[in-house]
Amino acid sequence: MNAPIRFTAVHQNLTFSRRMAVVGGAQVLVGGALVGRLGWLAVKENQKYNLLSESNRVQLIIVPPRRGWIVDRHGKPIAINRSNFRVDLIPDQVKDVPATVAVLTNLLALTPDEVDRINRDIKAAVGFQPVQVAENVPYERYAAVTVRLPELPGVQPMRGFSRFYPTGPAVAHLVGYVGTPSAEDYKKTKDPLFLTPGFKIGKQGLEKTLEPYMRGKPGGQRIEVTASGKLVKELDPKPDQSGSTVALTIDAGLQEYAARRMGDNSGALVALDVDTGDVLAFVSMPAFDPNNFSSGIGRTEWRMLSEDDHKPLINKVSQGLYPSGSTIKPAMALAFLKQGIDPKQRVFCPGGLRIGNRFFSCDAKHGSMDMHSAIERSCNTYFWSMGLRTDPELTTEMVNYLGYGQNFPQMPVNQRFGTMPSPKWLEQKYKRKWQGFDSANTSIGQGYVLINPLQLAVMPGRLGGGKLIQPRLLMGAPKPPIAPVAVDPQHLAIVRDAMSAVVNGSGTAVASKLQIPGVLMAGKTGTAQVYKLTQRKVANSNWALRDHALFIAFAPADKPKYAIGCIIEHGGFGASVAAPIVRDSMTYLFDQQKAWATLAPMEQEWGGSLAERNARRSAAFKAAAQSAAQLKAAAAKADDGQAGA
Amino acid sequence: MILSSIIPQPLARLPWKLLFLIVAIGLFGLVNLYSAAGGSIQPWALKQGMAIALFLGMAVALSNVREERIKPLVMPIYGAIVIALVLTDAMGIVGKGAQRWLDLGIIRLQPSEFMKPTIALMLARFYELLPAGDIRSFRAIWPAAALIGVPALLIIAQPDLGTGLMVVFAGVTVMFLAGLPLRWFLIPGAAIAAAIIPIYEFLLHGYQKKRIDIFLDPESDPMGAGYHITQSKIAIGSGGVFGKGFMQGSQSHLQYLPEGHTDFAFATLTEEWGMVGGTAIIIAYLFVLRWAMKVAANAPTRFGQLSCAGLTMVLFSYFAINLLMVMGLAPVVGIPLPLISYGGSAVMTVMICIGLLMSFERQQRSRSSSALS
């Protein structure tokens, strides 16, 4: 700036008017900006803010949607909803909270624990968020509350729904159970539905994995509320949309039958349709009663279930891993055939085989064996020596191809899929070379071989039907084309024939012949060592050390339709426990009446049907829980007494 | 100006267009307060109406005071207010909070309120007394800076950042118009821009910092302090072009909009009257400001020019700061929109400014007419 020599009043006036123009211009600019901003908010973003203002204004008193049913392949219910009575409380509408809670405690016979919980929930509740007082209220108590309603503002007696599983424990591990969402569940979704009393989500099994289909959309009473949650007026209610029904490939009758037929054994049974891969039964026993779980089970019951050595909380079908035992032999035989072993070639069994510096002893001195008789009589020596003569990598490949060690990604259940060992796998995992004894162990389903009961059914299914079926649990799921098993049909016939002889010839399971005219069952027994072979006799006295019993089967032997795999933990010899259970379950598929007739006397011997025994067990749990509570209360009283003294 | 022989001279000489504008804005404000109270003149509309009437009368009375009578009072009044501010701060510390000074029944006044018009007059007086040749020297600056700085700091210490900023804003505008070299604005301006972070870190109170944080990102605290901005934008945005209709605003009626009758009254109004209503208010204010700027531009004396311009800036800063804040373009600083927001203090300050401006305008007219005749 050129400094003027003198700054006069004239200059000052000039500067003033110039700068006034700047100030005035700035004012107009700001004014214009404000109008522009107003237009932006009110026109351009009007829709967005309208929505926000509506969601401010309108709130929903959520009514949980009805959960979709789970039905079997014939539409028979597996999981349904039963209407029940419940009592909720809307804290905002309650005049005198302590008095109301006191009246309800009296009317509904609430325990001190429940009252504590209710008081905590009331404190935490916001506005029109209802608080659960009690669910599954007996009708008389519900009626008592209804009658006193005029003097209990804010108390909401309602009809709700609870999940009901007609066959209880029989489907426990398949469908899982539902329960109240946890705080973490809510944090993940921030969905207010998760805080609504009476709302349940799938906690395990299909209830959990199929949750998105079965949940539905909540409806409820729409109300206009102020910022502080005061009710202004009621608007039109919004109807709920119940969840979709899910149809399973399961045959509910077979599922129940197999579960009951297992009695007090601990085990798993899977039945498949060999043409489609449809899972007809998915049984893991013993199990908990999912009906008890939906309203939350007591600590005592949980402890008793988790401490049970029969592991009723574990889904053995897809989570249990066992050595396959001799059930692997048909697949092994097919592998041998493919590698050029002549089925007529004989191996002499003197009661065992020396491999390296170890002697592997067979179950018996079988004498001269060909492939057919070796399967029929389950001769280990034959399989050991053939295993040594073939390429273990190729052999494993075949067994794995037939199902063992496989993962079935389209099954909506968590799977532990075990191991089918091969030289490559051994090198990778344990950094050592495959030895002769590895071939030997593997060829009779011991050593590193670990399978789950699902694979135990898929293998005979693929062998029997000759199709590379994938187990399928959802009726609505797409059906991809099923490829045939890539082996010589003549080889398959040899194996099938041998398996038929296991049951119908002079094999290990002749006692479990199907008692249905014109229908033969083919099968293979398996006995999986839990304890060292040499000490088997010692072990037999102790349940937990006994061998696992396995049995795989398909029927009819000539034109296979169904396949079953079954394992009974610590059941001893495969033919003794597992095979009869498979036989009766298979019988059910051909003649239900006959099957039920067989079961009736057995159940009498066991002390009643599954439902009866389960009810007794639940009562025992309750009694135990009660006595535990009483003990605790007595101890607390004693403490108080001491403190007072 | 309405010239008629029927109307008495003093009345005819009032700037009627301006008064109509002021009354119209005030009435719109009262209607809005009536709605905000859920269709009742209690508790806000009636009191606000009384305050507007009272202070409008005062403004008309003030418009009769001539410049020569005002000038000698400026310095004593300024001094008295500074002393009052010191006392306020001292007693505020004792009383642990912002100290009220005067309780007039209808409104409660803080001395800082009077400082807004006074700072304009005080600086105008200073530059009037300063010889024209000195305007480029340091003598033109430090006294003015002190005159602004002392009260501004006292007010910010109360703490009342909004009012403090308004005082600085009006004062600096007068300095600018007085003709100080531009570098005196550009250099400190740049310095302040550079010092924003240190000021933010060390000078501001925790809650003031938080307001700025939330202004920059309202969603960071949707249920806390960001709630104001968010809900205000919802109210304005959901109003659309024509609004939800009188007494139909859900944001204010269901109390989602906090301060819907005070600082955020404009949001209440726009929700119900839409962009049309909001724009009408903005345009009405711009007309008032244009009138005031004309008065300043036409003032024959240096004191008149600078005073009027400074008073205009006080009016403008109420308008601009409040609306920028309500529409989410500035942090929430607690400045009401006079005549629309409930609260007599702002009405009083605005009326003092208008009264003084009317006084200057009347003198211009009488002077020009006397010069003509």
Side-chain angles (χ1 to χ4, degrees):
Chain A
M1 198 187 287
N2 300 326
I5 295 105
R6 250 172 65 84
F7 199 81
T8 63
V10 179
H11 287 110
Q12 248 173 14
N13 267 334
L14 257 172
T15 312
F16 178 77
S17 41
R18 266 205 313 260
R19 292 193 176 180
M20 273 296 273
V22 172
V23 171
Q27 289 180 355
V28 171
L29 270 179
V30 171
L34 288 172
V35 173
R37 174 67 171 173
L38 186 57
W40 173 265
L41 290 175
V43 179
K44 180 80 203 312
E45 303 216 285
N46 174 246
Q47 231 177 348
K48 166 182 153 191
Y49 287 117
N50 244 332
L51 224 83
L52 286 171
S53 119
E54 269 308 283
S55 74
N56 262 347
R57 183 176 79 96
V58 178
Q59 275 196 12
L60 199 64
I61 298 182
I62 295 173
V63 173
R66 266 167 292 174
R67 222 175 151 72
W69 285 18
I70 301 177
V71 298
D72 84 338
R73 60 191 299 113
H74 307 299
K76 202 173 158 194
I78 292 176
I80 55 175
N81 305 310
R82 267 204 309 204
S83 114
N84 65 5
F85 298 107
R86 53 177 304 112
V87 176
D88 295 334
L89 198 97
I90 297 182
D92 217 62
Q93 293 179 331
V94 179
K95 284 222 175 69
D96 182 349
V97 174
T100 306
V101 173
V103 172
L104 289 175
T105 307
N106 188 24
L107 290 177
L108 296 168
L110 301 173
T111 65
D113 275 3
E114 287 171 306
V115 173
D116 270 3
R117 199 257 317 146
I118 293 164
N119 283 328
R120 245 181 300 131
D121 286 359
I122 289 174
K123 250 178 229 148
V126 199
F128 271 78
Q129 188 72 61
V131 164
Q132 171 174 318
V133 175
E135 67 179 351
N136 293 321
V137 180
Y139 180 71
E140 305 81 60
R141 293 196 188 282
Y142 178 81
V145 173
T146 319
V147 169
R148 305 267 311 257
L149 221 47
E151 46 176 308
L152 296 171
V155 174
Q156 244 192 349
M158 284 190 24
R159 304 203 50 178
F161 292 95
S162 62
R163 201 62 158 164
F164 179 62
Y165 308 92
T167 52
V171 294
H173 291 299
L174 172 63
V175 299
Y177 56 91
V178 296
T180 310
S182 66
E184 286 89 75
D185 292 329
Y186 172 67
K187 270 184 211 142
K188 255 183 263 160
T189 59
K190 293 280 173 204
D191 187 341
L193 177 61
F194 279 53
L195 297 178
T196 308
F199 176 67
K200 301 282 165 65
I201 59 166
K203 289 281 192 179
Q204 225 176 44
L206 295 180
E207 291 278 25
K208 187 177 179 182
T209 46
L210 302 179
E211 175 73 24
Y213 302 99
M214 287 190 284
R215 182 179 299 166
K217 291 209 175 75
Q221 182 61 54
R222 287 167 67 239
I223 52 169
E224 189 179 278
V225 290
T226 66
S228 51
K230 287 249 179 310
L231 175 74
V232 179
K233 64 174 174 238
E234 297 197 348
L235 308 169
D236 299 331
K238 184 180 150 197
D240 69 321
Q241 201 182 324
S242 58
S244 321
T245 295
V246 173
L248 303 182
T249 58
I250 295 290
D251 180 329
L254 177 68
Q255 174 86 15
E256 190 192 353
Y257 182 86
R260 288 172 67 171
R261 177 60 185 83
M262 277 200 199
D264 292 327
N265 285 304
S266 170
L269 181 143
V270 175
L272 296 175
D273 183 312
V274 303
D275 290 321
T276 57
D278 285 2
V279 178
L280 303 173
F282 185 104
V283 179
S284 168
M285 291 301 281
F288 53 90
D289 186 345
N291 290 311
N292 295 354
F293 272 55
S294 59
S295 47
I297 64 156
R299 201 170 297 171
T300 313
E301 184 170 0
W302 179 265
R303 193 170 46 78
M304 291 177 83
L305 285 170
S306 53
E307 282 171 7
D308 190 330
D309 63 352
H310 281 42
K311 300 204 165 53
L313 293 174
I314 289 175
N315 177 356
K316 296 177 185 111
V317 172
S318 60
Q319 306 267 302
L321 289 182
Y322 309 90
S324 75
S326 304
T327 61
I328 205 173
K329 284 175 183 167
M332 278 284 161
L334 203 63
F336 298 158
L337 288 168
K338 194 167 189 188
Q339 289 174 64
I341 297 286
D342 179 0
K344 294 283 166 234
Q345 190 175 352
R346 294 195 160 265
V347 168
F348 184 77
C349 170
L353 183 68
R354 177 165 296 280
I355 300 168
N357 53 5
R358 262 177 71 192
F359 185 75
F360 287 66
S361 57
C362 194
D363 288 335
K365 289 176 180 153
H366 291 102
S368 172
M369 292 273 122
D370 64 358
M371 186 176 279
H372 184 90
S373 59
I375 294 174
E376 185 178 5
R377 307 268 306 277
S378 201
C379 171
N380 291 348
T381 307
Y382 177 87
F383 284 90
W384 284 327
S385 48
M386 289 304 176
L388 289 171
R389 283 179 217 182
T390 47
D391 178 356
E393 193 68 49
L394 290 174
T395 310
T396 289
E397 206 173 274
M398 170 62 78
V399 178
N400 184 245
Y401 176 68
L402 290 169
Y404 281 11
Q406 263 191 16
N407 181 21
F408 305 112
Q410 53 278 80
M411 284 292 282
V413 291
N414 289 329
Q415 295 167 56
R416 293 177 65 199
F417 47 91
T419 313
M420 196 52 225
S422 74
K424 264 188 212 148
W425 172 86
L426 193 69
E427 186 65 50
Q428 238 169 28
K429 175 112 185 175
Y430 292 106
K431 313 273 177 253
R432 74 171 176 83
K433 281 256 172 302
W434 185 270
Q435 305 284 325
F437 63 82
D438 288 313
S439 292
N441 275 335
T442 306
S443 63
I444 61 161
Q446 298 283 164
Y448 297 111
V449 180
L450 277 181
I451 57 156
N452 67 34
L454 194 57
Q455 296 159 350
L456 196 61
V458 169
M459 208 263 276
R462 289 181 178 174
L463 273 177
K467 287 187 190 172
L468 213 60
I469 47 164
Q470 294 288 332
R472 205 173 81 104
L473 203 49
L474 301 174
M475 279 300 261
K479 290 185 193 170
I482 302 169
V485 174
V487 290
D488 187 341
Q490 278 185 330
H491 291 174
L492 265 181
I494 293 169
V495 173
R496 284 186 198 148
D497 200 36
M499 285 176 79
S500 182
V502 169
V503 184
N504 308 300
S506 52
T508 46
V510 281
S512 298
K513 224 178 269 182
L514 219 50
Q515 299 299 314
I516 294 168
V519 182
L520 295 183
M521 176 170 81
K524 181 71 197 83
T525 54
T527 306
Q529 287 168 29
V530 172
Y531 213 63
K532 277 206 183 79
L533 202 62
T534 47
Q535 288 163 352
R536 196 179 269 179
K537 283 209 177 73
V538 185
N540 269 352
S541 55
N542 184 338
W543 179 80
L545 300 179
R546 253 186 269 162
D547 294 342
H548 296 317
L550 297 93
F551 194 73
I552 58 173
F554 58 82
D558 50 343
K559 207 175 177 302
K561 179 87 187 87
Y562 306 111
I564 295 181
C566 173
I567 177 160
I568 300 299
E569 289 186 344
H570 313 297
F573 183 51
S576 60
V577 207
I581 291 174
V582 171
R583 174 200 60 204
D584 292 346
S585 301
M586 198 65 96
T587 305
Y588 180 94
L589 286 165
F590 293 97
D591 188 342
Q592 296 185 15
Q593 269 185 325
K594 194 167 210 157
W596 286 118
T598 323
L599 181 60
M602 291 187 195
E603 284 200 324
Q604 232 162 22
E605 199 181 307
W606 296 330
S609 69
L610 181 60
E612 287 161 1
R613 282 178 292 136
N614 189 64
R616 262 211 305 277
R617 200 176 59 165
S618 290
F621 284 151
K622 273 203 192 94
Q626 219 151 38
S627 65
Q630 273 164 4
L631 272 173
K632 212 170 142 192
K637 219 176 223 171
D639 278 356
D640 282 355
Q642 273 176 348
Chain B
M1 192 164 42
I2 301 167
L3 288 173
S4 161
S5 52
I6 306 162
I7 301 166
Q9 270 285 305
L11 277 182
R13 294 190 142 199
L14 290 170
W16 283 106
K17 274 186 202 160
L18 174 80
L19 290 178
F20 277 136
L21 214 50
I22 299 281
V23 169
I25 297 173
L27 280 178
F28 202 178
L30 293 182
V31 164
N32 188 49
L33 287 177
Y34 175 81
S35 167
S40 157
I41 55 165
Q42 291 289 2
W44 304 314
L46 184 64
K47 275 172 105 180
Q48 175 88 339
M50 285 162 62
I52 290 175
L54 173 75
F55 290 120
L56 188 60
M58 208 185 74
V60 171
L62 196 58
S63 73
N64 285 308
V65 183
R66 299 186 66 84
E67 190 179 333
E68 295 76 27
R69 304 276 293 276
I70 296 169
K71 254 197 245 182
L73 291 174
V74 170
M75 253 186 269
I77 288 176
Y78 175 86
I81 297 172
V82 169
I83 290 166
L85 282 171
V86 171
L87 288 175
T88 305
D89 278 5
M91 287 166 70
I93 291 161
V94 177
K96 284 183 183 167
Q99 182 74 30
R100 308 287 182 203
W101 192 244
L102 284 173
D103 194 338
L104 295 184
I106 297 172
I107 51 160
R108 301 174 138 197
L109 294 179
Q110 297 176 37
S112 57
E113 207 56 56
F114 292 101
M115 185 48 88
K116 291 170 194 170
T118 305
I119 193 72
L121 299 181
M122 185 63 230
L123 284 182
R125 183 88 179 108
F126 168 71
Y127 284 113
E128 181 200 36
L129 293 173
L130 191 78
D134 283 355
I135 198 69
R136 309 230 137 180
S137 69
F138 192 58
R139 260 174 296 168
I141 292 160
W142 72 262
L147 286 172
I148 299 168
V150 168
L153 288 175
L154 286 171
I155 292 167
I156 289 172
Q158 276 187 355
D160 187 349
L161 183 64
T163 304
L165 283 178
M166 279 178 71
V167 167
V168 173
F169 199 41
V172 170
T173 309
V174 175
M175 288 172 82
F176 175 71
L177 292 170
L180 289 185
L182 272 176
R183 63 175 182 277
W184 288 112
F185 300 95
L186 299 179
I187 294 168
I192 288 169
I196 277 177
I197 289 168
I199 286 173
Y200 169 83
E201 282 297 328
F202 302 112
L203 274 182
L204 296 186
H205 284 258
Y207 78 96
Q208 290 168 335
K209 270 193 213 176
K210 204 168 170 198
R211 278 173 175 175
I212 290 169
D213 291 344
I214 287 154
F215 160 65
L216 295 173
D217 182 17
E219 276 73 31
S220 68
D221 188 15
M223 295 318 286
Y227 186 79
H228 285 65
I229 293 180
T230 309
Q231 295 300 333
S232 172
K233 275 160 57 181
I234 292 176
I236 295 170
S238 65
V241 177
F242 297 106
K244 294 177 183 170
F246 181 53
M247 307 264 292
Q248 301 296 315
S250 62
Q251 284 290 102
S252 51
H253 284 270
L254 301 176
Q255 286 119 42
Y256 290 100
L257 179 67
E259 312 284 336
H261 60 288
T262 57
D263 288 0
F264 289 87
F266 181 79
T268 304
L269 183 144
T270 313
E271 185 183 18
E272 298 193 352
W273 298 92
M275 188 188 168
V276 175
T279 311
I281 291 291
I282 293 175
I283 289 174
Y285 263 100
L286 286 176
F287 272 115
V288 172
L289 290 169
R290 194 181 71 152
W291 172 83
M293 287 296 275
K294 269 190 184 161
V295 174
N298 295 335
T301 64
R302 184 153 168 80
F303 177 71
Q305 283 178 338
L306 295 177
S307 302
C308 291
L311 294 170
T312 309
M313 273 333 270
V314 174
L315 295 179
F316 175 72
S317 52
Y318 267 120
F319 162 78
I321 295 176
N322 177 268
L323 291 190
L324 287 170
M325 163 184 102
V326 167
M327 289 197 243
L329 294 174
V332 176
V333 281
I335 295 293
L337 183 60
L339 303 170
I340 301 292
S341 295
Y342 173 71
S345 312
V347 173
M348 180 200 74
T349 309
V350 163
M351 290 301 186
I352 290 174
C353 294
I354 299 224
L356 289 169
L357 283 162
M358 286 198 297
S359 146
F360 283 106
E361 193 243 17
R362 172 197 292 271
Q363 290 166 61
Q364 286 163 27
R365 265 185 293 160
S366 56
R367 196 168 302 183
S368 57
S369 57
S370 63
L372 276 175
S373 61

